[in-house]
Amino acid sequence: MPESGGQDTQGHISTTADAKAPGAVASAAVRRTSLLVTLVLGGLTALPPLSMDMYLPALPEVTDALRSPAATVQLTLTACLAGMALGQLVVGPMSDKWGRRRPLLIGMVVYVLATAVCAFAPDVELLIGFRLLQGLAGAAGIVIARAVVRDLYDGVEMARFFSTLMLISGVAPVVAPLIGGQVLRLTDWRGVFAVLTVIGVLLTAVVWKWLHETLPAERRHSGGVGEALRTMGGLLKDRVFTGYMLAGGLAFAALFAYISASPFVVQEIYDASPQTFSLLFGLNSVGLVVVGQINGKLLIGRVSLDKALGFGLAVITLAATALLLMTSGVFGEVGLAPIAAGLFVLMSAMGLVLPNTNAQALMRTPNAAGSASALLGTSSFLVGAVASPLVGIAGEATAVPMAVVQLASAVAALLCFLLLCRPWQRKNESLTAASGDPARQK
C-alpha cells in the first residue's frame, strides 16, 4: 500500500510524510478519517453531475429563450464535457508535479467565475463558450479526487472506497434535477447557474479548510510537459490499462447518451412535466447508487472485480438492445413506463462498471495517479461529448438515436474489456505466479 493519509489535530487530511507514527498507525488514521475523506472527495466528484444535471430540466426552456435549435443547445452540454475532458489532461500531470491542493483550489475559483458568467449569457454562443470554461475548471475536482484516492488507498480498499464514494457523488444526480425543477418554479434557467455558483463557493471553502496535501514532496514528478506526455504514453502502451480506460469511457458514453437525450425523450415525446422527468432521473440515479453499494459492500472480496465488471457490461448491452427494439417500434407503440424501466436497468448496471474500471486501471499506476486519472477522465468525457450531439441528430421526435448510441457504446465497451483486458488470461497468469512458476507474464 502506498503512503497513506492521516489526520492532524484540527481534523485536516494530511500525508504520512507529515506524520510521525509508523505505517500501521498511519493506516489506522486513514481508516478513522475515511468519513471526512469521503465527504470532501464526494463533494468534488459530485460537482460535475450537479453542473450537468441541474441544468437538464431547463434544456427545453433554454431552447425557447435563446431561440436556438435543440441540437445547438445540446452543445452546451458537449462544451462542458469537452472542457472537463481537456482540463483533466492539464490538471492531472500538474497535480503529480505540484501536489493536489494548489491546482484544485485554482480550478475551483475559475469554476465559480465561469458559472456566474453563464447565468448572464445573452445568447447561446456565449453560453457554450463559458460552459467550456466551466468544464475546464471543474475538471480539477474530478481528476484530483481520483488521484487522492490512489494516494491513500490500494487494492480492494481502493475499489471499496470508489463504491463508497459513489454513494456520496451519486446523491448529486438524484437531487440535482429535483433542485433544477424546483428552481424553474421560482425563476428561469439562469437561476440554475446562480445556484451552481453558490454551491461552487461553498465547496471551495470546504476544500480550502479541510483538504490538505496528500502527495508527499518525495513522490512528486519534477519534469515538465515532456515528461507528463511520456508518462501518459507509457500508460497507453499498457494494453490492460487501456482496455479498462476504453471500457469505462464507452460505458460513460452510453450513460451520457441517456443524460443528453432523456429531457427531450421524457418531456417532448412523452409529454411529461419537468418535475416528472426529475423524479424519473432521480430514481435511475438511486438505482446506480444502490448497485454501487452492493458492489462495494457485498461483492468486492467475494467476487472478482473483473466478474462484476463483465456482468455489468453484459446487463448494459441487454438493456440497450431492449431500448432499441422498443423505440424502433418492434413491439408496437410503447408508453413511458417500459422505456423508463429499460433506462433504469441500464443506469443501475453502471454501478458495477464505473467504480471497477477506475479501480482496476488505477491499481496498475501507483506512481502516476494524476496522469492516469487524467487519461481515465478525459477518455470518458471526450466520448461522452461525442455522444451528446449524436442523440439529437434526428430531431426531438424520436428516441431511436439515443438507443443506437447506447447499444453501440455498450457493445464496444464489452469488446474492449474482453479483447484488451483478457481477464481469463490474467487470472491464469496470477495463478501461475502464485504457484512459483517463473514463466514470464505477457
Side-chain angles (χ1 to χ4, degrees):
M1 183 173 177
E3 288 96 343
S4 301
Q7 185 178 16
D8 61 21
T9 56
Q10 296 179 326
H12 293 142
I13 304 168
S14 59
T15 64
T16 53
D18 301 323
K20 297 181 180 180
V25 177
S27 297
V30 171
R31 288 190 288 272
R32 288 196 299 271
T33 61
S34 60
L35 177 59
L36 176 60
V37 175
T38 304
L39 290 174
V40 176
L41 300 185
L44 292 173
T45 54
L47 191 60
L50 280 175
S51 301
M52 304 297 294
D53 301 342
M54 276 184 63
Y55 176 63
L56 293 179
L59 279 178
E61 181 181 325
V62 175
T63 301
D64 295 334
L66 298 183
R67 298 177 183 176
S68 299
T72 302
V73 172
Q74 283 175 326
L75 288 176
T76 62
L77 297 176
T78 301
C80 189
L81 270 179
M84 289 178 181
L86 298 174
Q88 290 183 69
L89 287 177
V90 176
V91 177
M94 283 174 56
S95 74
D96 282 339
K97 180 177 181 180
W98 292 315
R100 315 302 186 198
R101 181 175 165 84
R102 194 193 318 174
L104 176 58
L105 287 172
I106 293 173
M108 292 300 301
V109 170
V110 176
Y111 172 88
V112 169
L113 296 175
T115 305
V117 174
C118 287
F120 299 98
D123 52 55
V124 71
E125 290 80 13
L126 190 63
L127 181 60
I128 291 172
F130 276 91
R131 286 283 278 175
L132 175 65
L133 181 59
Q134 183 191 44
L136 287 167
I142 310 168
V143 67
I144 291 178
R146 275 196 302 264
V148 168
V149 172
R150 188 63 185 93
D151 291 341
L152 301 178
Y153 298 95
D154 196 9
V156 171
E157 288 185 2
M158 180 169 60
R160 285 201 177 104
F161 191 90
F162 274 124
S163 292
T164 303
L165 197 61
M166 185 173 288
L167 178 62
I168 302 296
S169 61
V171 171
V174 175
V175 302
L178 298 175
I179 295 173
Q182 297 307 311
V183 169
L184 292 177
R185 285 178 176 268
L186 303 175
T187 182
D188 60 8
W189 62 272
R190 298 180 188 277
V192 174
F193 287 106
V195 173
L196 284 172
T197 301
V198 173
I199 292 173
V201 171
L202 294 175
L203 186 55
T204 303
V206 168
V207 170
W208 174 267
K209 180 168 180 61
W210 295 111
L211 187 61
H212 281 196
E213 188 56 63
T214 61
L215 184 66
E218 63 269 17
R219 290 178 53 198
R220 298 178 189 177
H221 295 184
S222 58
V225 176
E227 181 179 336
L229 292 176
R230 285 192 295 273
T231 299
M232 290 184 177
L235 291 172
L236 292 175
K237 290 178 182 177
D238 181 348
R239 170 178 53 80
V240 179
F241 173 87
T242 301
Y244 286 122
M245 180 189 73
L246 292 176
L250 289 163
F252 187 84
L255 182 150
F256 197 76
Y258 157 75
I259 291 175
S260 183
S262 59
F264 297 98
V265 172
V266 174
Q267 296 180 72
E268 301 295 331
I269 298 177
Y270 293 99
D271 297 321
S273 67
Q275 289 70 39
T276 300
F277 162 72
S278 299
L279 177 62
L280 291 176
F281 195 93
L283 288 174
N284 291 339
S285 299
V286 168
L288 187 152
V289 171
V290 169
V291 173
Q293 292 311 292
I294 292 173
N295 177 69
K297 305 298 184 183
L298 298 179
L299 298 183
I300 292 177
R302 296 179 176 87
V303 178
S304 73
L305 298 184
D306 281 331
K307 284 184 178 179
L309 173 56
F311 181 77
L313 289 172
V315 172
I316 290 173
T317 303
L318 291 175
T321 301
L323 285 167
L324 180 58
L325 293 175
M326 287 189 288
T327 57
S328 60
V330 172
F331 301 126
E333 186 174 347
V334 299
L336 178 58
I339 298 295
L343 291 172
F344 177 81
V345 173
L346 186 146
M347 281 285 288
S348 298
M350 294 290 174
L352 294 175
V353 174
L354 300 182
N356 290 333
T357 51
N358 281 334
Q360 289 285 65
L362 286 172
M363 270 190 242
R364 303 180 67 84
T365 61
N367 298 317
S371 296
S373 179
L375 287 174
L376 291 172
T378 296
S379 63
S380 296
F381 283 98
L382 279 180
V383 176
V386 171
S388 176
L390 292 179
V391 299
I393 199 168
E396 304 172 28
T398 176
V400 171
M402 177 190 73
V404 169
V405 171
Q406 288 174 331
L407 181 56
S409 300
V411 170
L414 188 57
L415 289 175
C416 286
F417 173 64
L418 294 175
L419 298 179
L420 295 178
C421 299
R422 303 176 191 174
W424 65 90
Q425 182 184 70
R426 288 166 42 244
K427 179 180 179 181
N428 292 335
E429 290 171 354
S430 298
L431 292 174
T432 299
S435 66
D437 191 323
R440 187 176 180 180
Q441 294 185 8
K442 296 180 182 180

